[in-house]
Amino acid sequence: MKSQIAIVTGILLSFNAAADEEWIFGIGAGVTSYESAYKGVGTETTAFPSLYAQKGNFLLMGNKAQYTLYGNSKFQFNLLGQYRFEGYEADDSYMLNSMEERDGALEAGISASFDTHYGILSASFVTDISDTHEGHELSVGWAKPYQLNAKWMVKPSLELNWRSDDLNNYYYGVKSNEATAQRAVYKADSSMSYRAGVDAFYVVDKQQTIQMGIGVNGWGSEVEDSPIVDRSNSPEVKAAYTFRF
């Protein structure tokens, strides 16, 4: 998996090798806490690295990398690569005991955004390129940044996602060899999900930024009906610090 991530990152970087702009790098750390949708897992708290790199049309931020094929002050069209942090290990809860591990996935696709008076409208399509879930996701979103002063900015956002049957079934299905008396065989179909949240950004100085956010992920009926799921939504909070060189 690490080699696949390196390959995709290298391809995206090669698009921008001839650009005249200098690299801008940032590094930091963050923590996120959320209510897992899986039965018996409860609240999960995870620390993660906060990574940032930019040069010309290339941008790496967190688990997403993009290269802008066309852009102006209002519209952008991008190539997109991302890592999906979804899945579980069998020992995460009693309900997942003896289940096969479900891994995160490396995905690639396209995205577009349009800056309007009412906010930034966006759309993206990604597909699995790591042969993990072998599915797809189509997303449309809205976000509206509000600059409160020189230090603070807040950004509410809303995203709707169509998840393919392969994507849902990999993470929330139950295979015949995994079924028990308490866990019936289950095959998930495609469904809609959503994410709503508010992020706040505090600029300490030209090099340092602190980000905080709250949000909720809502799962569609095909996920909710799974015998290994006991939540219709998953609230989360997060915080991250980034230092730019």
Side-chain angles (χ1 to χ4, degrees):
M1 180 63 68
K2 290 182 179 178
S3 62
Q4 292 168 321
I5 294 173
I7 290 170
V8 172
T9 302
I11 292 171
L12 289 168
L13 288 172
S14 68
F15 282 124
N16 208 42
D20 293 332
E21 293 87 347
E22 293 184 356
W23 280 101
I24 301 174
F25 292 103
I27 190 169
V31 62
T32 180
S33 183
Y34 63 95
E35 292 290 336
S36 175
Y38 295 109
K39 282 185 179 179
V41 177
T43 301
E44 292 269 88
T45 301
T46 306
F48 58 89
S50 177
L51 303 176
Y52 179 92
Q54 183 178 19
K55 183 182 181 184
N57 291 347
F58 173 79
L59 174 64
L60 169 68
M61 184 177 295
N63 67 317
K64 294 186 178 182
Q66 71 176 41
Y67 181 83
T68 301
L69 296 174
Y70 174 81
N72 55 39
S73 60
K74 293 293 184 181
F75 177 78
Q76 281 193 348
F77 180 70
N78 316 296
L79 293 177
L80 178 65
Q82 66 179 34
Y83 187 79
R84 179 181 295 273
F85 291 101
E86 200 166 346
Y88 57 81
E89 296 181 358
D91 59 0
D92 283 348
S93 86
Y94 70 93
M95 185 53 71
L96 302 174
N97 185 36
S98 77
M99 295 278 289
E100 295 178 12
E101 182 177 313
R102 303 302 200 264
D103 298 318
L106 185 62
E107 301 168 334
I110 56 176
S111 67
S113 62
F114 187 54
D115 193 353
T116 75
H117 177 72
Y118 302 101
I120 301 171
L121 305 179
S122 61
S124 66
F125 175 81
V126 293
T127 188
D128 178 23
I129 60 172
S130 59
D131 294 326
T132 302
H133 59 71
E134 300 180 345
H136 325 287
E137 185 174 58
L138 176 65
S139 304
V140 293
W142 166 89
K144 178 69 171 176
Y146 293 95
Q147 192 71 48
L148 303 182
N149 52 45
K151 294 286 188 179
W152 282 97
M153 183 184 76
V154 296
K155 185 177 72 172
S157 61
L158 175 65
E159 185 175 84
L160 301 177
N161 309 292
W162 173 82
R163 299 165 57 100
S164 73
D165 51 0
D166 286 331
L167 173 59
N168 277 342
N169 195 54
Y170 177 76
Y171 288 112
Y172 302 102
V174 178
K175 302 175 185 178
S176 58
N177 65 325
E178 298 173 326
T180 66
Q182 294 76 35
R183 189 174 62 214
V185 173
Y186 183 74
K187 184 174 177 61
D189 203 349
S190 61
S191 68
M192 298 294 297
S193 67
Y194 73 87
R195 186 188 186 283
V198 179
D199 290 298
F201 303 85
Y202 178 74
V203 178
V204 180
D205 53 35
K206 291 182 179 181
Q207 294 178 297
Q208 302 178 85
T209 304
I210 297 173
Q211 178 184 357
M212 297 159 283
I214 58 173
V216 59
N217 292 288
W219 308 108
S221 59
E222 290 295 317
V223 172
E224 293 178 39
D225 291 343
S226 170
I228 59 174
V229 170
D230 65 355
R231 298 188 63 90
S232 61
N233 58 71
S234 298
E236 66 175 357
V237 295
K238 62 183 178 182
Y241 167 83
T242 304
F243 182 90
R244 294 189 186 186
F245 298 95

